[in-house]
């Protein structure tokens, strides 16, 4: 068991994955009171900045598959939090926008979700946060991400 623990400790991917899981778990707990999943919250947040975004755009920005985003959007639409209308430019593309209810719910949920990230950031100095972000961006670049 000690050999396994030593091997895991040498692999940065394991620590990154554990941090991601911990962040997702904390955000999911914060969003539960709003009946939102983390991907649903992310979609609403992006739409608040990019009204009219397509499902493909949302999937890329939220770092989920197009299939996952299609499910997320269907669920948000069923809850009355977004509207989806066919694009005037392309029939198979839907333009997605927040409803008033979606905007209001996002505003309340964002306070709680943002608090999770603020709590995380509070554990680091400003210089550490800057280095941390640089390290993660380097990891993304070396692994072929954008």
């Amino acid at each position: 068991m000690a050999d396994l623990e030593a091997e895991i400790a040498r692999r940065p991917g394991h620590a990154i994955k554990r941090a991601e899981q911990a962040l997702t778990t904390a955000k999911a707990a914060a969003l539960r009171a709003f009946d939102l999943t983390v991907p649903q919250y992310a979609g609403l947040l992006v739409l608040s900045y990019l009204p009219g975004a397509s499902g493909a755009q949302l999937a890329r920005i939220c770092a989920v598959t197009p299939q996952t985003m299609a499910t997320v959007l269907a669920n948000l639409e069923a809850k009355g939090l977004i509207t989806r209308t066919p694009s005037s430019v392309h029939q198979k593309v839907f333009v997605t926008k927040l409803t008033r209810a979606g905007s209001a719910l996002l505003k309340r949920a964002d306070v709680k979700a943002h608090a999770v990230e603020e709590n995380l950031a509070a554990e680091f100095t400003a210089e550490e946060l800057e280095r941390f972000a640089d390290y993660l961006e380097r990891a993304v670049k070396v692994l072929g991400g954008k």
Side-chain angles (χ1 to χ4, degrees):
M1 187 66 160
D3 289 346
L4 174 60
E5 289 173 0
E7 182 62 25
I8 288 171
R10 284 192 291 272
R11 295 178 181 230
H14 184 72
I16 291 169
K17 183 64 175 176
R18 286 183 57 230
E20 180 203 13
Q21 287 175 329
L23 177 61
T24 300
T25 297
K27 277 191 175 180
L31 295 169
R32 200 167 290 122
F34 304 98
D35 191 30
L36 289 174
T37 64
V38 174
Q40 288 172 346
Y41 161 76
L44 291 175
L45 184 64
V46 172
L47 284 169
S48 73
Y49 286 90
L50 296 173
S54 70
Q57 289 172 309
L58 291 167
R60 276 191 301 278
I61 295 168
C62 295
V64 298
T65 65
Q67 296 83 357
T68 296
M69 186 51 67
T71 300
V72 165
L73 293 174
N75 290 334
L76 291 173
E77 187 174 34
K79 292 178 182 184
L81 302 175
I82 63 168
T83 59
R84 298 169 69 202
T85 54
S87 167
S88 60
V89 178
H90 194 288
Q91 229 175 23
K92 293 185 179 184
V93 173
F94 283 84
V95 175
T96 308
K97 295 182 181 178
L98 294 178
T99 62
R100 246 181 234 203
S103 185
L105 182 65
L106 173 62
K107 191 173 188 177
R108 295 191 326 270
D110 191 46
V111 170
K112 298 294 185 181
H114 192 248
V116 170
E117 299 220 24
E118 287 176 336
N119 186 47
L120 173 61
E123 289 297 311
F124 301 94
T125 66
E127 183 181 306
E128 288 172 330
L129 280 173
E130 190 174 321
R131 283 196 324 253
F132 188 49
D134 287 345
Y135 296 153
L136 291 172
E137 286 303 321
R138 278 177 35 204
V140 168
K141 185 177 178 182
V142 77
L143 295 170
K146 296 178 181 177

